Amino acid sequence: MAKALPSGRPVRRPLFGALDPDGWTWAGIKAMFWFIVLILALGYIPDRAYYFTVNKTIDIGVLAWSPINLCPAENRGLPCPAPAGAMVPWEAAPTQLTLPEPRTAGAAAQLVTHLLYAGGSGGAAPTTSVFVSEFKDGAFGPWANGPALPEGRAEAGIVVLSGVAYLVGGVGPDGQQPTNTVWSLKADAAGALTTWAPVEGVTLPAARAGAGVVALSDGILVVGGRGPDGKPTTTVWKSTLDPDGVLGAFAEQPALVNAVAETGIALNGDYVWVFGGTDATGASKAVQRGHVGVPQAAEASPSPGASAAPAPQGVLQWAVSDGANLPEARSAAATFAANGTLYVVGGSDGLRPRREMYWAVPDAVGNLTGGWHYLDKIDLPGGIQGGSSVVSGSYAYVIGGSTDSGPSTNAVRANLAPQPPFFQLGIAGLTVPALAIPGEIGQNLGYLAAAGVGTGNFVILCAVAWMYSNKPKVRAWWERRRASRRGRRAAST
């Protein structure tokens, strides 16, 4: 005999009848769903509300690959989004940074709030002049005459270490013979520049000009350069600061693989990079990489009672690889490292000044796995060799140098931080413009936005919970509303 079905609403099986409505599988799916809803409502969405207030853009979801990208006009035609390491195209620096006189082969650096351009040549002999620009109200001011060098220098290296600028080597007043001098300059307690003076008891072991000079965390590294015979060298020297900040004598380091002068140099992480330069045959495209660290013998634990002063760093070894070489030969290029990226700007190919810029992003172990990158949009406005580079904040500057017409007064700059896309539409996400309210006001408004959204979501979740726990009441209320709407429609007809 057939069994009568129970009265009331039929029990529906979820997921097209695949699951038991009272089983553990369906219960687990519902629990996971509400777990994700709680995280989104009380965590992710309030977090997005905060960043929508303070950021220029906000990401919703996981973008992964985005086929639709829109970038701001400030990127000046860069691909969107900008490739890793790319910068906004070079432009003329503010007019106040045009040098008072043409200069090439000078040395530029930022010392506290002072931008220095020391020495160089105007086409005749090396000069003693030092131009100084002050950084104030977020910008550099006009050049003024600063403390003069003790005698003329060009092709010298300059570094800033522990608040002191050091000018190393270079050709002397005759414009021919390299020198072994090391001069220093610092600012006094009021921030005013003092005078250049020889570092007591410290000179290069031999005269050098056109050497690569870079500051390590504990001293100065001098790489290659031309000796008194005019030939490129492989010598590498290191001077270390003592615990009192006094520069010590230069000591020999492992030699370069290839002898070069007029080379570019940059420090990135634990590696010092030497780019191109002039070798025995002319302009070179070879890149030499030095691993910087503490020699193993010095890493050994000190004996009882010995000083605990840290062991000095040095070059552990040099390496070369055809895969790391520049796309073209370059000497006297402006080079620098910023944001984990290496840049080689301008220089000479042995025939004339060039305008191309190449960049590479090394990995953690110093390999250029992606090679050198190039975009014609980021080329210099014109060819420059012998320009000096400075990185200040988010900008890179190339000051002075020689063009096809000779020494120049020009200065160019580029923004190292292209803007990200203000709109992206991806497979699993979206980027949209946000409010970008700056400063403390933006922070406080962001906290209020996050708190407001979180509180609103909490109230909504409480209402949903009440509805689930009172299903008969909610169903009866819904049926009454449906009946009321049907009645109004029948009355209107």
Side-chain angles (χ1 to χ4, degrees):
M1 185 175 183
K3 185 177 180 181
L5 292 174
S7 59
R9 293 172 61 88
V11 177
R12 298 179 180 178
R13 292 177 63 87
L15 290 182
F16 307 102
L19 298 178
D20 180 0
D22 297 322
W24 281 106
T25 302
W26 179 236
I29 292 174
K30 289 192 293 183
M32 181 59 65
F33 170 79
W34 284 109
F35 177 71
I36 293 173
V37 168
L38 288 171
I39 291 176
L40 291 174
L42 300 182
Y44 181 76
I45 295 177
D47 174 81
R48 296 293 86 188
Y50 170 81
Y51 286 107
F52 180 81
T53 306
V54 300
N55 280 5
K56 289 184 177 180
T57 60
I58 181 175
D59 296 335
I60 303 172
V62 179
L63 280 175
W65 176 68
S66 301
I68 300 176
N69 300 279
L70 299 176
C71 285
E74 291 87 343
N75 284 4
R76 298 176 56 203
L78 280 180
C80 185
M87 60 173 64
V88 178
W90 294 91
E91 61 181 354
T95 55
Q96 62 263 30
L97 284 185
T98 299
L99 291 173
E101 300 175 9
R103 287 288 185 272
T104 187
Q110 184 174 352
L111 176 61
V112 196
T113 60
H114 312 281
L115 180 62
L116 311 175
Y117 186 88
S121 170
T127 178
T128 62
S129 63
V130 175
F131 302 131
V132 179
S133 175
E134 301 294 333
F135 190 80
K136 187 177 181 180
D137 298 328
F140 287 109
W143 292 103
N145 288 320
L149 300 176
E151 62 180 19
R153 287 290 184 273
E155 299 182 49
I158 190 170
V159 296
V160 174
L161 186 63
S162 299
V164 180
Y166 295 93
L167 192 75
V168 181
V171 294
D174 62 0
Q176 299 294 326
Q177 287 299 312
T179 64
N180 66 352
T181 54
V182 180
W183 297 331
S184 67
L185 174 74
K186 60 184 179 181
D188 61 21
L193 294 175
T194 57
T195 58
W196 292 94
V199 178
E200 185 176 355
V202 178
T203 59
L204 296 177
R208 289 292 182 268
V213 182
V214 69
L216 304 184
S217 61
D218 65 348
I220 301 173
L221 196 68
V222 179
V223 177
R226 288 184 285 107
D229 60 1
K231 296 180 180 179
T233 68
T234 61
T235 56
V236 180
W237 301 315
K238 162 79 186 305
S239 176
T240 302
L241 291 175
D242 69 13
D244 297 324
V246 178
L247 199 65
F250 281 89
E252 190 171 348
Q253 300 284 299
L256 290 171
V257 177
N258 303 316
V260 287
E262 288 84 40
T263 184
I265 192 167
L267 177 69
N268 185 67
D270 293 332
Y271 296 91
V272 59
W273 297 81
V274 176
F275 310 104
T278 302
D279 60 19
T281 61
S284 170
K285 65 178 181 180
V287 173
Q288 304 180 68
R289 185 197 69 194
H291 188 190
V292 176
V294 178
Q296 290 185 352
E299 287 180 345
S301 300
S303 58
S307 172
Q313 288 187 325
V315 178
L316 304 180
Q317 63 179 0
W318 291 95
V320 294
S321 170
D322 289 343
N325 288 348
L326 295 170
E328 296 182 349
R330 288 293 183 269
S331 66
T335 59
F336 57 92
N339 304 322
T341 304
L342 306 171
Y343 298 91
V344 177
V345 187
S348 170
D349 60 1
L351 298 174
R352 52 189 288 268
R354 305 297 303 186
R355 60 193 298 265
E356 294 85 4
M357 187 194 82
Y358 302 109
W359 80 93
V361 183
D363 61 20
V365 293
N367 294 322
L368 303 184
T369 52
W372 290 93
H373 305 277
Y374 170 75
L375 278 175
D376 57 2
K377 287 186 176 294
I378 320 180
D379 284 347
L380 292 169
I384 297 175
Q385 70 180 77
S388 188
S389 61
V390 177
V391 175
S392 179
S394 63
Y395 282 95
Y397 298 83
V398 175
I399 303 170
S402 291
T403 66
D404 288 326
S405 303
S408 172
T409 62
N410 291 342
V412 294
R413 72 174 184 180
N415 192 330
L416 294 167
Q419 295 295 317
F422 62 82
F423 180 85
Q424 290 182 288
L425 180 59
I427 296 175
L430 179 70
T431 296
V432 296
L435 298 179
I437 301 175
E440 189 174 345
I441 293 177
Q443 295 281 337
N444 291 332
L445 289 177
Y447 295 141
L448 290 174
V453 171
T455 301
N457 288 344
F458 178 75
V459 171
I460 293 172
L461 289 173
C462 289
V464 171
W466 182 88
M467 293 170 66
Y468 264 88
S469 62
N470 293 274
K471 287 184 179 180
K473 292 183 179 180
V474 174
R475 189 177 296 116
W477 172 80
W478 182 249
E479 292 296 341
R480 287 196 300 271
R481 282 188 59 83
R482 292 180 62 186
S484 176
R485 286 198 299 270
R486 287 195 296 267
R488 287 196 298 269
R489 284 197 296 269
S492 63
T493 57

